[in-house]
Amino acid sequence: MASTSRTRTGRGRGRGRGRGSGSSSLPPPPSTLPLIIEEFFIVVYEDPLVKKELPKKFADYLDGQEPAKVYLRAADCGPRLWTVEVLFDGQGRMYLDKGWEKFAIAHGVDFGCYVHFKYEGDDVLTVKVFDGTMCMRYYYSDDEDTDDESDDDVKPCIHPL
C-alpha cells in the first residue's frame, strides 16, 4: 500500500501569523479608555444602619462635582426619592450619611446584603438590595409622596410574600 502525504496550505482557523495587512482592529488597551463608573455594589459586613462608604473609584469619578446629597431610588419601589447626605473625608473617600438609615430600614438592608447602585446622573442613584442568598428583594410602594423631607416616620416599601 502506497502512502500519500498531505500538505496543508494556509486555510486554517486563524492560528496563522496574522492577517497580513499590519493594521489592528483590536480595541485600545483598558488603561487608555476613559474611566466611567456607573454601577457598583457594596457588601454590608457591619452595622447596616451606620454611614456607608462607597467605592473610591466612584468617588474619583465624581471628582470636582462632589454633591452634598444624593437621591436614592429603589429600583422596584416606585418614584420615591430618598435624600441622603454625602460626606467626603478629604482623602478621596465618599460616604452615605444622614438619610441612609431611613433608606436601609425601609428596604431591609441587613448584615450580608449586597447593595447594587446605578448612577443615573443628576445625583440620583438607583438601588437594588440583594439578600445573603444573592436573591433580589422585590418591593412595591403604596406611597405616592416623593418628598421624604417632611416625613419623620419611615414609610417602608412593602415586601410581597
Side-chain angles (χ1 to χ4, degrees), residues 134-149:
M134 305 299 184
C135 294
M136 188 170 131
R137 294 188 174 178
Y138 287 94
Y139 298 87
Y140 68 92
S141 176
D142 59 1
D143 180 19
E144 296 299 319
D145 181 16
T146 60
D147 179 14
D148 66 81
E149 295 295 327

Side-chain angles (χ1 to χ4, degrees), residues 11-73:
R11 293 188 181 187
R13 294 188 176 174
R15 293 185 179 201
R17 292 183 170 225
R19 299 180 185 250
S21 69
S23 66
S24 174
S25 62
L26 297 175
S31 62
T32 62
L33 296 174
L35 180 63
I36 299 173
I37 306 296
E38 293 179 346
E39 295 185 67
F40 57 90
F41 70 92
I42 61 171
V43 182
V44 180
Y45 288 121
E46 55 199 40
D47 185 348
L49 304 181
V50 299
K51 69 182 178 184
K52 291 291 163 243
E53 182 178 353
L54 299 182
K56 186 166 179 354
K57 280 189 178 182
F58 181 67
D60 292 344
Y61 175 69
L62 295 179
D63 188 34
Q65 47 184 323
E66 299 166 347
K69 356 178 149 172
V70 293
Y71 304 94
L72 305 181
R73 184 181 72 80

Side-chain angles (χ1 to χ4, degrees), residues 94-153:
M94 175 182 182
Y95 299 87
L96 297 177
D97 194 32
K98 186 178 178 192
W100 167 254
E101 180 178 358
K102 285 184 179 184
F103 181 87
I105 290 170
H107 295 90
V109 177
D110 203 356
F111 293 98
C113 281
Y114 288 71
V115 185
H116 175 269
F117 296 87
K118 181 176 183 186
Y119 184 60
E120 306 288 350
D122 296 325
D123 303 331
V124 175
L125 292 163
T126 298
V127 182
K128 294 179 184 178
V129 178
F130 294 80
D131 64 21
T133 67
M134 305 299 184
C135 294
M136 188 170 131
R137 294 188 174 178
Y138 287 94
Y139 298 87
Y140 68 92
S141 176
D142 59 1
D143 180 19
E144 296 299 319
D145 181 16
T146 60
D147 179 14
D148 66 81
E149 295 295 327
S150 62
D151 295 340
D152 287 334
D153 297 327

